[in-house]
Amino acid sequence: MRRYWKGPERMAARINWPPPPGGARAAANEAYAEPLAWLASVHREQLALCDCLEAIADSLPGEVDREICAYAAKMLAPMLRQFHAGEERIVFDWAEQRSGDDPSARALLERLKYEHCEDECFAEELTEMLDRLGTDDRTVNPETAGYMLRGFFTNLRRHVSFEQEYLRGIVARQTHDPS
């Protein structure tokens, strides 16, 4: 079993939080100037979150760190909403500008937004289960909890990979056709 964090402080130290919405204007301006760099940072954070959730799943049923579960329950949904809002405001706007009137690009961005919504809904359900694990609720079925965790982090990793591939394609097209 992999153990990424011994407690919530180490988990928090590993995840670098982006500035809060409406926070420092300098950070927002920097994000708009470098949307792909900003997204790469967000993707690293999302993948670190996936690693944490995988460690929780791997610890089921008998070695669950209740503090980490409680901490994950507290930060999962707000963090994901913040990341998705930034992606849609910063990166998707950038991608739309570069894709012009391409209807397939617009459809793809709508699909990614829909996946954001699905992930956020799933995160809300996962938050409830993680909160119950964090309070040592013995009614939590470990198989169900593991299934939920694995379903979430597998989908999130797949989503991150797809976004990276799609955006690399935009950059490659611009490099070959800088019109």
Side-chain angles (χ1 to χ4, degrees), residues 21-169:
R25 180 150 322 273
N29 288 340
E30 182 179 326
Y32 277 105
E34 295 293 337
L36 293 181
W38 180 86
L39 185 63
S41 174
V42 166
H43 282 164
R44 280 191 300 277
E45 302 309 325
Q46 288 177 333
L47 294 174
L49 172 64
C50 289
D51 291 344
C52 174
L53 297 175
E54 184 172 17
I56 293 170
D58 288 347
S59 73
L60 293 167
E63 298 179 33
V64 175
D65 185 323
R66 308 283 175 217
E67 282 185 77
I68 289 184
C69 291
Y71 185 75
K74 179 178 159 185
M75 50 67 73
L76 175 64
M79 181 175 123
L80 204 58
R81 279 192 303 271
Q82 183 178 354
F83 286 158
H84 289 164
E87 283 182 44
E88 292 173 17
R89 185 182 69 249
I90 297 167
V91 181
F92 289 9
D93 287 350
W94 174 88
E96 279 182 359
Q97 291 172 1
R98 275 139 191 85
S99 61
D101 293 333
D102 182 358
S104 64
R106 290 190 191 276
L108 199 81
L109 291 171
E110 286 303 313
R111 172 188 162 192
L112 292 172
K113 288 178 187 177
Y114 180 76
E115 287 180 11
H116 286 173
C117 182
E118 284 185 327
D119 288 345
E120 289 172 22
C121 289
F122 197 172
E124 293 292 338
E125 292 179 30
L126 198 55
T127 293
E128 181 183 326
M129 186 271 304
L130 286 166
D131 191 45
R132 290 175 57 208
L133 280 174
T135 59
D136 199 20
D137 181 341
R138 303 283 179 174
T139 65
V140 175
N141 180 315
E143 289 83 19
T144 301
Y147 185 78
M148 287 177 68
L149 286 161
R150 292 184 194 291
F152 181 81
F153 67 71
T154 299
N155 284 338
L156 187 55
R157 285 176 176 154
R158 185 178 301 125
H159 178 85
V160 166
S161 177
F162 184 80
E163 280 183 343
Q164 290 170 341
E165 193 121 346
Y166 169 67
L167 295 169
R168 271 195 300 264

